[in-house]
Amino acid sequence: MSTTITTPWTSAKFLAGSHRLAAAYLQQKVLAILADRVTIRRFLPFVGDPSGSGSDTWRQLYSQLGPGIPMESVAEAGTLTAIGITVDYRDIALGRHGLEAHESFLGQITGRPGLDMDLDMLAGAVIETYEAEFMDSVATILATASTSVGTSGSDMVMDDLYDATYFFDLQDGFEGDLIGVLHGRQIADLKESKRGEPADWVRAEDQVAFKAPGFQGMILNVNMFKSNRVTSDGTDRKGAVFGPRAIAYAAARAGIQRVKGLSSNAILLNEPGIILDWDSDSNGALSKFFANAWYGLAIGDQGQKEICGVNTDA
């Protein structure tokens, strides 16, 4: 994928002797941005880094014990009834996610030093792009939920959101906060439905907050996100409400330090695991910017007990 950046980057320190200082600064800037941002990635469990494991797939094992299989109440000399334990797992395969962007030499020559694409702007742009791609991956996997609520071809209403939360009320031993991801169309329909609810529908204002794009706040005790990357099959948008254990992710972080042949311009961001690099094309009078990251997500059979799709009109 190639993207043309309309504003030039002009920081001369990218290619100067202070490159290491610039790299360190960029790393800290990215960490500061991540610490101050509410993103879907921070709600999901990070289960491992396959770096050095000899495989691009991280296997997470679990056994189906817990609230669904309680102990027996048995007499002192009584005999326990044996149960079969199913040891299961989910495989999380890493995939590459990359970006290539071009900027003309002329754009850089005529650009305003320190006012166009400097390190601060680059840090923000890279993280925005990475988190948007991560949300895209989450939205794709939400569409595979085996249980769903909502009426195909019909606008989303508050009853649909209630139905999604009921799914978790009926689960034995469910723990943790709920997370929701809905398309902007679904959020808009939900707002419209809310207008028709009784005035005393709910008294706590934080339960009905609809905020700016992205994190919407708490709605019915669901940490709600809006994303227009939610999958559409042409008839329905396929949002979902899920628990924090439903979806896990793995990412390559430590291993990016071992990549050979990187240019002297490369900057490695161990968190969240991105390799940034620059190159020039004198024939085309272009500078080229690259960003690559490797991660994967998976639900797994056990996770299906903690995810409920919300399929409503597209």
Side-chain angles (χ1 to χ4, degrees), residues 162-174:
Y162 272 114
D163 289 343
T165 62
Y166 296 160
F167 172 81
F168 301 93
D169 293 334
L170 300 174
Q171 296 301 314
D172 200 2
F174 175 82

Side-chain angles (χ1 to χ4, degrees), residues 107-162:
Q108 298 169 76
I109 292 169
T110 58
R112 299 162 297 174
L115 297 177
D116 291 316
M117 190 59 112
D118 59 13
L119 279 173
D120 288 282
M121 291 184 65
L122 180 61
V126 168
I127 289 305
E128 290 285 356
T129 298
Y130 178 83
E131 296 294 3
E133 174 66 6
F134 195 91
M135 175 61 88
D136 196 23
S137 300
V138 171
T140 298
I141 203 170
L142 293 181
T144 67
S146 58
T147 300
S148 65
V149 298
T151 302
S152 178
S154 299
D155 293 347
M156 185 170 183
V157 294
M158 289 303 305
D159 282 349
D160 295 329
L161 185 55
Y162 272 114

Side-chain angles (χ1 to χ4, degrees), residues 49 51 252-260 262 267-275 292-294:
D49 180 350
S51 297
R253 294 179 176 175
I256 65 176
Q257 300 284 346
R258 297 196 293 269
V259 174
K260 301 176 181 63
L262 292 175
I267 292 178
L268 308 182
L269 304 179
N270 292 325
E271 166 56 26
I274 301 175
I275 297 178
N292 284 287
W294 294 263

Side-chain angles (χ1 to χ4, degrees), residues 51-117:
S51 297
S53 67
S55 173
D56 61 2
T57 300
W58 184 268
R59 170 161 289 190
Q60 183 190 18
L61 297 172
Y62 49 81
S63 58
Q64 295 176 347
L65 289 172
I69 308 179
M71 289 183 171
E72 290 184 74
S73 178
V74 63
E76 183 64 25
T79 301
L80 294 171
T81 301
I83 60 172
I85 298 175
T86 302
V87 178
D88 208 342
Y89 60 86
R90 56 180 158 193
D91 286 337
I92 305 176
L94 266 63
R96 178 189 173 199
H97 303 264
L99 169 73
E100 177 181 347
H102 295 171
E103 180 56 58
S104 72
F105 286 178
L106 180 60
Q108 298 169 76
I109 292 169
T110 58
R112 299 162 297 174
L115 297 177
D116 291 316
M117 190 59 112

